[in-house]
Amino acid sequence: MIDFEAEINEYKPSLEVDAIEDAIVRSDLTDMNDIMMDMIKKASKE
């Protein structure tokens, strides 16, 4: 049987995951709200 407590205590995240997390946090991602706000601004100027 698996000892989940022991497994959790031994868990170490992959270095690749940490690097990806840092890259995502630092990147300027456009989300749906940004797109909608840009469309509203363009529509109000016309």
Side-chain angles (χ1 to χ4, degrees), residues 1-37:
M1 185 145 211
I2 298 174
D3 182 3
F4 289 103
E5 291 297 324
E7 292 294 326
I8 290 172
N9 290 334
E10 294 176 12
Y11 173 77
K12 293 180 183 160
S14 169
L15 294 176
E16 296 155 354
V17 172
D18 288 338
I20 292 170
E21 286 175 348
D22 291 341
I24 291 171
V25 169
R26 281 184 266 148
S27 67
D28 184 22
L29 300 175
T30 302
D31 63 5
M32 194 62 179
N33 187 48
D34 295 332
I35 294 168
M36 294 299 292
M37 293 302 293

